[in-house]
Amino acid sequence: EPLAVPWESCITMGTGFSYRFDDEYKPARELVRVLVDIVAKGGNLALNVAPGPDGRIPRPAVENLDELGAWLKANGEAIYATRPAAPYRRGEWGFTGKGRSVYAIFLKQISNARATMIPYGNTCSAVTQLATGEKIPFKVTGDGIVLSLPAGFRGDTYADVFRID
């Protein structure tokens, strides 16, 4: 559930707030998951990256930030300037909203599926896969919105985002 006050979560990319030569960095999949979890609850993510003694960001951290940035380039509409949207988090789904749209973010990769259900109980007029702009056929049921995924549907490596209008 979202908090009623502004809040922020300070998360490190590595194992601590300061530089370590042999640090292990969170993979991009985990960074996306943390970001969605925080934003779906109305928070802000402050992501710490500790530079080395020479001021440079370690290569593994840069690579993971590049991957997070690529995901945000395709799906940032569901993150930036959004508000929490009920049901906020349900299973592997996170929900945000902006204007009259709700964004359903699936935190696993959809693979070899012909249908998937979004646990969102309201009516809708259209469902669009955000990264591709493709309209997805759907049916509203008592349990949620059932998407009829097209043949050859390739889910995003980190998280698929569907805009519900």
Side-chain angles (χ1 to χ4, degrees):
E1 298 280 324
L3 299 175
V5 296
W7 65 279
E8 179 173 82
S9 188
C10 301
I11 305 289
T12 63
M13 275 199 67
T15 57
F17 279 94
S18 59
Y19 176 78
R20 265 192 29 211
F21 175 76
D22 60 346
D23 209 350
E24 293 184 26
Y25 296 94
K26 293 172 179 68
R29 174 185 304 280
E30 185 176 344
L31 295 176
V32 168
R33 184 178 206 70
V34 166
L35 175 64
V36 170
D37 192 47
I38 290 169
V39 172
K41 296 172 187 168
N44 183 55
L45 172 62
L47 186 61
N48 170 265
V49 184
D54 60 0
R56 291 186 292 171
I57 304 295
R59 169 76 17 217
V62 170
E63 290 168 357
N64 291 343
L65 285 170
D66 283 345
E67 290 180 46
L68 176 61
W71 185 86
L72 281 167
K73 185 174 184 180
N75 299 291
E77 179 182 324
I79 299 296
Y80 299 119
T82 59
R83 67 187 188 303
Y88 316 112
R89 275 298 307 272
R90 185 172 289 171
E92 292 297 325
W93 291 92
F95 296 89
T96 63
K98 185 185 306 181
R100 296 177 53 92
S101 297
V102 169
Y103 301 92
I105 307 166
F106 189 63
L107 295 169
K108 284 190 169 182
Q109 185 174 20
I110 299 173
S111 58
N112 301 323
R114 294 303 306 256
T116 192
M117 194 210 29
I118 300 174
Y120 182 72
N122 295 342
T123 61
C124 67
S125 60
V127 175
T128 306
Q129 183 185 17
L130 197 56
T132 64
E134 184 176 357
K135 297 284 186 192
I136 305 294
F138 67 93
K139 180 173 84 172
V140 177
T141 70
D143 294 325
I145 300 169
V146 178
L147 305 180
S148 299
L149 301 174
F153 179 86
R154 291 187 46 165
D156 187 280
T157 303
Y158 305 121
D160 278 297
V161 181
F162 299 97
R163 184 179 61 230
I164 302 168
D165 295 309

